[in-house]
Amino acid sequence: MVGQIRGKIIHLSLTRATVEAGGLGLIVNSTPSFLEKMHIGNEARFWTHMAVRENDISLYGFGSEEELKMFESLLGVSGIGPKSALGILGVAGLETLTNAIVTGNTSMLTKIGGVGKKTADKIVLELSGKVASSKNMSEAMKDDLDVFEALKALGYREHEIQEALKEMPKETVGANLKIKQALKMLGKK
């Protein structure tokens, strides 16, 4: 397995880079947002996943270990292959995707091309526990998860909670304040 590659970029396209490392030109598939930061001739580092299939061996590279872990978690969801996982991560981004999974926001996931309602439900169902227990989850995401669980325990429906979290003012910080704000918002409906 190849866990990380560092080398000079010798070719770039929208979805992949060719990296010269150890005398080899390795093709690394990646997200457009990560690749757009690179320039031919510069050195780059990728955290990689090697996908081995019957007739193909492909490398998928990311700028951080957290992105790689999310990619590999997506691969664990039945029906999602490397290209789909890369597409999901490329469109949504790590933070947005993590937030959607933690809060159960399947509507955000269905906006991604190739992800239908059933696939979005599977992603949330199969990854919510893994993502929520991640050591690297931001404080805001932990707060949102606490708010989600508290409001669900109070009997609110998931879609109502998701809407309240989406409409939550950015300056509202901390689980307690977010719960109070969400209760005010839900009380008006």
Side-chain angles (χ1 to χ4, degrees), residues 9 11-19 26-32 35 38 46 58-59 86:
I9 302 294
H11 183 264
L12 278 172
S13 72
L14 184 63
T15 58
R16 61 192 209 172
T18 304
V19 182
L26 302 168
I27 296 172
V28 182
N29 299 288
S30 190
T31 61
L35 292 174
M38 298 182 182
F46 294 87
S58 297
L59 284 173
L86 185 64

Side-chain angles (χ1 to χ4, degrees), residues 6-72:
R6 187 178 72 210
K8 187 170 85 173
I9 302 294
I10 57 175
H11 183 264
L12 278 172
S13 72
L14 184 63
T15 58
R16 61 192 209 172
T18 304
V19 182
E20 185 178 316
L24 298 172
L26 302 168
I27 296 172
V28 182
N29 299 288
S30 190
T31 61
S33 61
F34 183 53
L35 292 174
E36 72 184 12
K37 299 173 190 171
M38 298 182 182
H39 302 287
I40 294 174
N42 288 354
E43 190 168 286
R45 179 189 311 247
F46 294 87
W47 288 88
T48 61
H49 173 86
M50 182 183 287
V52 180
R53 294 192 172 190
E54 185 177 311
N55 58 353
D56 182 44
I57 298 175
S58 297
L59 284 173
Y60 295 86
F62 304 93
S64 69
E65 193 173 9
E66 292 78 24
E67 286 179 305
L68 172 63
K69 287 179 181 178
M70 178 59 78
F71 174 80
E72 291 175 337

Side-chain angles (χ1 to χ4, degrees), residues 125-138:
L125 180 67
E126 294 183 29
L127 298 185
S128 60
K130 291 179 187 177
V131 171
S133 65
S134 171
K135 293 177 187 173
N136 297 321
M137 188 178 3
S138 72

Side-chain angles (χ1 to χ4, degrees), residues 2-189:
V2 178
Q4 191 179 87
I5 294 173
R6 187 178 72 210
K8 187 170 85 173
I9 302 294
I10 57 175
H11 183 264
L12 278 172
S13 72
L14 184 63
T15 58
R16 61 192 209 172
T18 304
V19 182
E20 185 178 316
L24 298 172
L26 302 168
I27 296 172
V28 182
N29 299 288
S30 190
T31 61
S33 61
F34 183 53
L35 292 174
E36 72 184 12
K37 299 173 190 171
M38 298 182 182
H39 302 287
I40 294 174
N42 288 354
E43 190 168 286
R45 179 189 311 247
F46 294 87
W47 288 88
T48 61
H49 173 86
M50 182 183 287
V52 180
R53 294 192 172 190
E54 185 177 311
N55 58 353
D56 182 44
I57 298 175
S58 297
L59 284 173
Y60 295 86
F62 304 93
S64 69
E65 193 173 9
E66 292 78 24
E67 286 179 305
L68 172 63
K69 287 179 181 178
M70 178 59 78
F71 174 80
E72 291 175 337
S73 294
L74 286 168
L75 290 178
V77 176
S78 61
I80 296 182
K83 289 180 183 176
S84 296
L86 185 64
I88 292 167
L89 196 52
V91 171
L94 181 63
E95 189 171 328
T96 303
L97 182 59
T98 302
N99 196 24
I101 292 169
V102 168
T103 60
N105 187 353
T106 57
S107 63
M108 194 295 296
L109 295 172
T110 57
K111 292 177 185 173
I112 300 168
V115 178
K117 177 77 171 124
K118 287 182 181 179
T119 303
D121 288 340
K122 274 197 261 183
I123 290 170
V124 169
L125 180 67
E126 294 183 29
L127 298 185
S128 60
K130 291 179 187 177
V131 171
S133 65
S134 171
K135 293 177 187 173
N136 297 321
M137 188 178 3
S138 72
E139 278 302 313
M141 288 181 206
K142 287 179 185 175
D143 289 347
D144 286 353
L145 181 60
D146 290 343
V147 171
F148 188 83
E149 290 175 356
L151 294 174
K152 195 169 180 182
L154 290 172
Y156 289 98
R157 294 188 183 122
E158 289 184 14
H159 73 276
E160 292 174 317
I161 300 168
Q162 291 166 4
E163 287 301 315
L165 285 171
K166 278 189 228 171
E167 296 171 13
M168 185 78 54
K170 298 281 184 208
E171 59 274 1
T172 308
V173 180
N176 289 339
L177 289 176
K178 285 184 176 187
I179 291 170
K180 287 178 185 177
Q181 182 68 29
L183 288 170
K184 287 179 187 175
M185 293 164 69
L186 291 167
K188 292 178 182 176
K189 293 181 179 184

